[in-house]
Amino acid sequence: MTQVIQLDPQRPQPQTIERAASIIREGGLVAFPTETVYGLGAAAMNQSAVQRIFEAKRRPADNPLIVHVASREMLDRVASNISDKAERLIDQFWPGPLTLVLERKPEVAPSVSAGLLTVAVRMPASTIALELIRAARTPIAAPSANTSGRPSPTTAAHVFDDLGGRIDMILDGGATNIGIESTVLDMTSDPPAILRPGWVGRDMLKGVIGPVEQATSESELRHSPGTRHRHYSPRARVVLIEHGSPDLIQQVCREHLKDGAVGFIGHTPVTINNAAFYPIHLGPTAADYAHSIYAALRELDQRGPVAIIVEGIVARGEGVAVMDRLRRAASKVTANR
Ligand code: TXA
Ligand code: MG
């Protein structure tokens, strides 16, 4: 049985937080909202609890988890040798959507790091997450609360669709603010390398610590096993139009309509008079896309189209992270500009 409990995201009820915290302390699983996406939490120093996360999500064992902390003292319980650059990033961006890969302490449950000598840590910016971690009095390991390979959840209903019956509790704090996952930055390489782009962009990081690399090579990405697996994907075939004129978008949608129902997600208004055409129009900014893209993919997927056509945005600033997720979700990429 999975309990779903609604909470005021600004002033969550202490009794509810305490109930959720006691589940965590006893080795159970609680899903909770962060500012990015919902996480599926377990006590990070408890190996059997962490093991349950992998089972519930059907997550490959070689994909490590992010540990969430609520204080500097908690960070010191999971990571050692924190560099001056890491300190500066923490001062600037925590709590917030930046995950730092650091040297791990041996007390962290081994499955959290999936055999690596490092641990990924962040301090989330949502009140519910921070109060839950404080009340549990333990760092909380939490991947996104979706079934492995599906789009990340941005509402409690998304979590329930994937994990209902498989976890103990879902704290429902409404839709998450940002909508895509945190930036993952490897602080154990020199210069530090972005393993997963996120809301904190490369230029923002450079402004605080100087040179930052974008990891692209196989060897670098070996350090972030998660990036190898199929990701963020609905069941339908996703076709990404990276740069498309309105004409190209129309044409691609019409072509796929010959095979069956077609979903469309984009900022260009596309109208096709066909009951099997399901358009979802988003605002044009990276923030609009980040906030709604996973919900849109899930909504269309429930209608069972043969294909979902997605119009891309410019891969600059926060758009880098949005386009990273769309490219991973897509099985085909098209461009005409
Ligand atoms: O915004 C977020 O980051 C959300 C919320 C819940 O905090 N969490 C999240 O977790 O997206 P997950 O498990 O879906 O993604 C974690 C990413 C994966 O790509 C994983 O490979 C990488 O972080 N990662 C975790 N530990 C690592 C480590 N020690 N070294 C390198 N990469 C690591
Ligand atoms: Mg994930």
Side-chain angles (χ1 to χ4, degrees):
M1 245 277 285
T2 301
Q3 292 181 71
V4 183
I5 305 183
Q6 284 192 3
L7 276 176
D8 178 336
Q10 262 73 53
R11 283 191 288 121
Q13 270 189 323
Q15 307 92 298
T16 308
I17 292 290
E18 184 44 46
R19 266 171 67 196
S22 73
I23 292 174
I24 296 280
R25 283 195 298 271
E26 286 157 21
L29 302 184
V30 176
F32 59 92
T34 78
E35 79 279 32
T36 58
V37 300
Y38 275 72
L40 176 62
M45 322 306 236
N46 179 335
Q47 169 66 9
S48 62
V50 169
Q51 210 44 57
R52 290 189 60 206
I53 291 179
F54 285 84
E55 285 158 23
K57 277 183 61 93
R58 302 188 170 95
R59 185 178 177 100
D62 67 352
N63 192 1
L65 311 178
I66 295 173
V67 174
H68 295 66
V69 298
S71 66
R72 181 52 219 242
E73 174 274 323
M74 266 194 198
L75 170 64
D76 291 330
R77 284 165 64 189
V78 298
S80 39
N81 292 328
I82 293 156
S83 66
D84 176 58
K85 281 182 185 173
E87 296 284 0
R88 275 185 276 157
L89 292 171
I90 288 167
D91 284 347
Q92 185 73 30
F93 296 108
W94 282 11
L98 175 64
T99 296
L100 301 178
V101 174
L102 302 163
E103 237 175 82
R104 82 189 275 266
K105 287 233 167 111
E107 290 79 10
V108 178
S111 290
V112 167
S113 297
L116 300 171
L117 299 173
T118 55
V119 62
V121 192
R122 83 177 189 101
M123 188 185 293
S126 87
T127 305
I128 293 176
L130 289 172
E131 297 207 347
L132 175 65
I133 300 163
R134 278 188 207 115
R137 299 188 296 275
T138 171
I140 294 181
S144 50
N146 51 296
T147 300
S148 207
R150 300 259 298 142
S152 291
T154 54
T155 67
H158 296 161
V159 178
F160 193 86
D161 284 345
D162 281 14
L163 302 176
R166 308 175 65 86
I167 64 178
D168 300 299
M169 183 181 273
I170 301 172
L171 296 177
D172 180 355
T176 59
N177 295 333
I178 295 176
I180 59 171
E181 307 83 349
S182 63
T183 307
V184 178
L185 183 67
D186 184 0
M187 298 305 295
T188 69
S189 68
D190 190 22
I194 296 174
L195 302 178
R196 179 177 73 183
W199 205 245
V200 178
R202 190 173 171 193
D203 289 342
M204 291 165 79
L205 297 168
K206 279 185 180 167
V208 179
I209 57 165
V212 170
E213 272 176 9
Q214 173 64 60
T216 46
S217 73
E218 277 298 309
S219 73
E220 288 166 316
L221 290 177
R222 209 179 46 224
H223 297 299
S224 194
T227 54
R228 279 201 313 264
H229 298 285
R230 186 173 156 85
H231 251 98
Y232 317 111
S233 297
R235 295 178 200 91
R237 170 186 165 82
V238 175
V239 178
L240 174 63
I241 303 180
E242 290 238 358
H243 318 276
S245 62
D247 280 352
L248 177 79
I249 297 170
Q250 280 263 357
Q251 186 194 320
V252 173
C253 290
R254 283 182 194 285
E255 253 162 44
H256 283 85
L257 275 164
K258 291 176 192 157
D259 302 330
V262 168
F264 169 72
I265 302 170
H267 56 87
T268 296
V270 177
T271 39
I272 295 177
N273 256 336
N274 186 325
F277 182 62
Y278 316 135
I280 295 182
H281 291 116
L282 306 181
T285 68
D288 295 324
Y289 263 63
H291 190 264
S292 306
I293 192 73
Y294 289 145
L297 288 170
R298 280 177 179 264
E299 185 187 325
L300 288 178
D301 217 23
Q302 282 188 345
R303 308 179 73 167
V306 291
I308 299 175
I309 316 300
V310 183
E311 178 183 13
I313 56 172
V314 179
R316 208 179 299 128
E318 288 94 358
V320 172
V322 169
M323 289 304 287
D324 168 76
R325 304 306 189 273
L326 289 178
R327 287 175 190 136
R328 286 173 199 284
S331 49
K332 190 174 170 220
V333 177
T334 304
N336 77 338
R337 255 193 262 131

